[in-house]
Amino acid sequence: FGSIIYHDDFFRPYLSILMKLTVVSAAIHQITFSTLSSLPFAVGQVQDAGLIFLSAMARDIVLRCQALGVHDDASILATTTIGLSLFTAFLGAALIGIGKFKLASYCQLLPSSVVGGYLAYIGFFCGQAGLALMAMVDVTGLSQWYKFLDPAALVLITPGVLGGCVIYFSVRTFRHMAVLPSTIAMLMVVFYLTLWAKGMSVEEATQLGWINPTVESPSWYHIWDFLQIDKVVWRVLPSQIFTIAAMISVVALSSSLDIAAIEIEMKRPLDYNHELTTVGFSNVVSGLTGGYTGSYIFSQTIFSLRMGIRSRAMGYVIAVIELVTIVLPFNVLAYIPNFFFGSLLMMICLDLMFEWLIDVREKVTPAEYVVMLLTFCLLQVLGVEFGILAGICSYVVADRLGFDVGKKDTTEDDDVMAGCYE
């Protein structure tokens, strides 16, 4: 997810540090959820719903700083990291307000078909980010996909695409908890066996583009060095207000759907307002410590429930393991091939796009499905903020024309969409 947030070429030399910030944020989310959630088996991490907004804002901040004549890397990094952290904390405060004033039901007014189109777009964006990461090129939309057709890029991309397909269809076919870690480990084994067979060193693989060149990894206490308040270009941050508002709406509904999916599995009602407040506190803490947006990871939470876990110790163990990776005295990224991350992103791409463009077809009305597809396409053309707004407009138009766009009882609609989540 760190590579998605900071997918702009400007951040490439600093990814080793920025990814560590993402891992720290994940650990903080997990600690907060394990402490405050009503669910002792809850898993909360940096989550995909807010990543597209953070990524868009990170890229826009870089462009705006450069347009103002700011070319000092330290200033751009400070503005971006502190800006995203503040936006995350602001999101958390908004969610706390929603929960405290018992407004969770109003979050669900955002059409679920529009959210479905957005989730499919997240899948597309993850796939595009994975391809760009593997090919080591900067791609922001379909108009730039020609860069992936370069022969050298195709060589670098192919293992990741194949790996992502293998992971996705293996997980979907066998449905066992050991499948995902086994296939991920297999990618690393195949890579290093290939290096050994070819007599190639890690340094040579890096020069050929298989591993992303990174700066030397600093000690863990230097992770926050980019967050220098005195270097922030404050005047570029207000330009993100509209994006923040859209992010709050989408994350609030997405979190509600996560809670609905967990509720269906538990077969007992959950207090949406309390759980949204928990998500809010987690984002405030994450933002104030330099982190990013997060929420319940419903699939892992449901998995923990099915495994019979009822102790909060599980969540704390996850957080400790994540923090351990931060204090390692060497740069882990210097030994992990780009197609490893690319495969995971391609797996997420396939999972979300199959789920919200294909599997969901049998669970919604024809008009609702058209709105979902239209929203997905509008996001490609108009960007995140205006794409979502245009999707809502298409929903309203279809509804006014008398089409069945899934306008039912709110609880029923939540159950349908949460069922799609499963």
Side-chain angles (χ1 to χ4, degrees), residues 5 12 28-29 69 73 81 89 93 101 111 119 154 297 334-335 370 412:
I5 297 172
R12 193 176 294 275
I28 289 172
H29 278 299
D73 284 9
T81 53
F101 290 101
L119 291 171
L154 288 173
I297 305 299
Y335 301 94
V370 169
E412 181 184 349

Side-chain angles (χ1 to χ4, degrees), residues 4 14 18 23 32 42 90 133 143 151 154 157-158 171 186 216-217 290 293 295 301 317 370 413 415 418:
I4 294 176
Y14 309 104
L18 295 171
V23 176
T32 308
F90 188 77
L133 174 66
S143 63
L154 288 173
I157 286 172
T158 301
V171 170
M186 180 189 68
E216 184 178 351
S217 183
T293 61
S295 184
T301 300
V317 169
V370 169
D413 190 59
D415 289 351

Side-chain angles (χ1 to χ4, degrees), residues 371-391:
V371 171
M372 200 173 293
L373 290 178
L374 187 57
T375 301
F376 175 75
C377 295
L378 289 169
L379 285 163
Q380 303 281 357
V381 178
L382 303 176
V384 179
E385 305 92 338
F386 292 106
I388 289 177
L389 187 60

Side-chain angles (χ1 to χ4, degrees), residues 402-417:
F403 293 101
D404 183 1
V405 287
K407 193 174 181 180
K408 317 169 187 175
D409 174 75
T410 303
T411 304
E412 181 184 349
D413 190 59
D414 281 347
D415 289 351
V416 170
M417 297 304 286

Side-chain angles (χ1 to χ4, degrees), residues 12 15 21 48 54-55 75 93 103 118 141 201 222 234 282 370 389:
R12 193 176 294 275
L15 277 179
L21 269 176
D48 52 13
L54 295 179
S55 177
S75 296
L103 303 175
Y118 171 71
S201 66
H222 288 298
W234 294 104
S282 186
V370 169
L389 187 60

Side-chain angles (χ1 to χ4, degrees), residues 30 34 40-43 300 304 309 311-319:
Q30 185 58 62
S34 294
F41 47 84
V43 177
Q300 294 301 312
S304 300
I309 295 172
S311 171
R312 297 182 187 273
M314 185 253 335
Y316 295 126
V317 169
I318 293 174

Side-chain angles (χ1 to χ4, degrees), residues 150-363:
D150 180 80
L154 288 173
V155 171
L156 295 172
I157 286 172
T158 301
V161 174
L162 294 177
C165 291
V166 169
I167 294 174
Y168 173 71
F169 288 107
S170 296
V171 170
R172 199 176 166 100
T173 302
F174 299 107
R175 297 186 177 277
H176 189 276
M177 63 179 179
V179 175
L180 181 58
S182 298
T183 50
I184 290 175
M186 180 189 68
L187 294 177
M188 294 295 292
V189 172
V190 170
F191 175 70
Y192 278 99
L193 282 178
T194 304
L195 290 189
W196 175 76
K198 289 182 171 290
M200 186 184 300
S201 66
V202 173
E203 291 74 19
E204 291 173 320
T206 302
Q207 292 173 1
L208 291 173
W210 293 107
I211 298 176
N212 192 44
T214 57
V215 297
E216 184 178 351
S217 183
S219 300
W220 67 270
Y221 48 83
H222 288 298
I223 293 174
W224 293 272
D225 283 356
F226 291 155
L227 284 77
Q228 302 179 54
I229 294 179
D230 60 312
K231 291 186 178 294
V232 176
V233 185
W234 294 104
R235 52 187 165 169
V236 306
L237 298 183
S239 62
Q240 309 302 319
I241 290 177
F242 183 54
T243 307
I244 296 170
M247 180 172 70
I248 291 172
S249 300
V250 171
V251 171
L253 179 56
S254 176
S255 296
S256 296
L257 291 174
D258 289 335
I259 297 166
I262 297 169
E263 183 180 62
I264 291 172
E265 180 68 24
M266 293 183 67
K267 296 179 176 58
R268 69 174 177 83
L270 293 175
D271 185 345
Y272 280 62
N273 290 299
H274 172 78
E275 301 307 334
L276 275 181
T277 301
T278 299
V279 176
F281 274 116
S282 186
N283 280 278
V284 168
V285 176
S286 175
L288 294 179
T289 53
Y292 312 104
T293 61
S295 184
Y296 283 102
I297 305 299
F298 77 93
S299 58
Q300 294 301 312
T301 300
I302 289 175
F303 174 76
S304 300
L305 171 65
R306 290 176 178 175
M307 291 295 292
I309 295 172
R310 297 296 182 271
S311 171
R312 297 182 187 273
M314 185 253 335
Y316 295 126
V317 169
I318 293 174
V320 168
I321 293 173
E322 289 172 333
L323 292 175
V324 166
T325 65
I326 299 301
V327 300
L328 291 176
F330 56 89
N331 188 354
V332 177
L333 294 182
Y335 301 94
I336 301 179
N338 289 333
F339 74 78
F340 176 85
F341 298 111
S343 295
L344 294 177
L345 290 171
M346 289 304 301
M347 183 268 290
I348 295 172
C349 169
L350 292 171
D351 184 40
L352 288 174
M353 293 191 73
F354 265 96
E355 187 171 4
W356 294 103
L357 294 181
I358 298 176
D359 294 345
V360 75
R361 175 65 187 87
E362 302 301 323
K363 302 179 181 181

